[in-house]
């Protein structure tokens, strides 16, 4: 069962990790350029709620893959990095609600959100490589051009689909 879970985690985790950042990025872009979209305060509050929901989605959709990883290779440091990657973005997302700094500091908040979410994943990978060494299959995969094209395609596809969905909804509400 653990072997099947590990294979499932290996194939699904890149997709799961790209969805919440794509949703937050698309929402951030709309909020950052809210004057172009002529957003009302109600629409801005709705978009901030989307960022908060996307932040809560991160632990929900990455729970099983990271749980399997924690069971197979984890220790206290890995557990702490996983928790930082889950709790940190949620706390940062609530900062968008601030009337004084929320939208004005949206670039800083977005970068902090990404650092906490993706930085924890990178931290886990680097930590595991330091402790256990770099596996040969990883070195071989990094030498292949296909690895980079697949990763780029997954991230770009996720960004395009989610951004288009969000922009279409904003434009639809604008025409009502």
């Amino acid at each position: 069962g653990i072997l099947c879970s590990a294979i499932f985690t290996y194939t699904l985790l890149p997709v799961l990790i790209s969805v919440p950042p794509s949703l937050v990025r698309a929402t951030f872009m709309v909020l950052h350029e809210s004057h172009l979209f002529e957003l009302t305060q109600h629409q801005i509050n709705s978009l901030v709620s989307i960022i908060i929901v996307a932040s809560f989605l991160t632990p929900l959709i990455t729970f099983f893959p990271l749980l399997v990883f924690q069971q197979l290779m984890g220790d206290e440091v890995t557990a702490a990095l996983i928790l930082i990657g889950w709790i940190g973005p949620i706390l940062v997302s609530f900062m968008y609600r601030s009337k004084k700094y929320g939208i004005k500091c949206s670039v800083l908040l977005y970068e902090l959100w990404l650092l906490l979410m993706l930085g924890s994943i990178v931290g886990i990978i680097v930590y595991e490589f330091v402790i256990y060494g770099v596996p040969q299959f990883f070195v071989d995969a990094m030498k292949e051009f296909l690895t980079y094209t697949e990763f780029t395609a997954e991230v770009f596809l996720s960004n395009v689909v989610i951004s288009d969905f969000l922009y279409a909804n904003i434009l639809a509400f604008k025409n009502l």
Side-chain angles (χ1 to χ4, degrees), residues 37-53:
F37 290 99
E38 300 170 1
L39 298 176
T40 65
Q41 188 60 42
H42 179 68
Q43 289 171 321
I44 290 172
N45 291 339
S46 296
L47 290 171
V48 168
S49 297
I50 290 173
I51 291 176
I52 292 170
V53 168

Side-chain angles (χ1 to χ4, degrees), residues 14-136:
V15 174
L16 296 178
I17 288 176
S18 67
V19 171
S22 298
L23 183 57
V24 170
R25 185 197 68 79
T27 309
F28 156 75
M29 294 299 290
V30 172
L31 283 174
H32 189 66
E33 302 293 336
S34 59
H35 60 282
L36 296 175
F37 290 99
E38 300 170 1
L39 298 176
T40 65
Q41 188 60 42
H42 179 68
Q43 289 171 321
I44 290 172
N45 291 339
S46 296
L47 290 171
V48 168
S49 297
I50 290 173
I51 291 176
I52 292 170
V53 168
S55 299
F56 275 103
L57 281 177
T58 302
L60 293 176
I61 61 179
T62 60
F63 179 77
F64 285 113
L66 290 178
L67 179 67
V68 169
F69 184 79
Q70 172 66 16
Q71 287 177 340
L72 293 176
M73 307 193 52
D75 56 6
E76 295 83 20
V77 175
T78 307
L81 287 169
I82 290 171
L83 289 175
I84 288 169
W86 283 346
I87 297 169
I90 293 171
L91 296 177
V92 170
S93 69
F94 280 108
M95 291 179 184
Y96 275 97
R97 286 232 183 255
S98 168
K99 300 290 183 205
K100 188 174 182 182
Y101 301 111
I103 304 305
K104 293 176 187 167
C105 298
S106 62
V107 174
L108 179 64
L109 291 175
Y110 174 64
E111 290 172 352
L112 182 60
W113 191 95
L114 279 178
L115 176 70
L116 289 169
M117 198 276 185
L118 298 177
S120 67
I121 301 296
V122 170
I124 290 169
I125 292 169
V126 169
Y127 176 73
E128 296 298 328
F129 285 172
V130 168
I131 297 297
Y132 299 110
V134 181
Q136 188 59 41

Side-chain angles (χ1 to χ4, degrees), residues 3 6-7 9-11 13-14 69 72-73 125 128-129 132-148 150:
L3 177 63
I7 292 170
T9 298
Y10 176 74
T11 57
L13 193 59
F69 184 79
L72 293 176
M73 307 193 52
I125 292 169
E128 296 298 328
F129 285 172
Y132 299 110
V134 181
Q136 188 59 41
F137 77 87
F138 181 81
V139 173
D140 294 340
M142 291 295 108
K143 291 179 183 177
E144 293 183 24
F145 182 71
L146 185 60
T147 301
Y148 299 103
E150 286 178 352

Side-chain angles (χ1 to χ4, degrees), residues 169-176:
N169 282 320
I170 289 171
L171 294 175
F173 286 126
K174 191 175 182 180
N175 293 332
L176 290 178

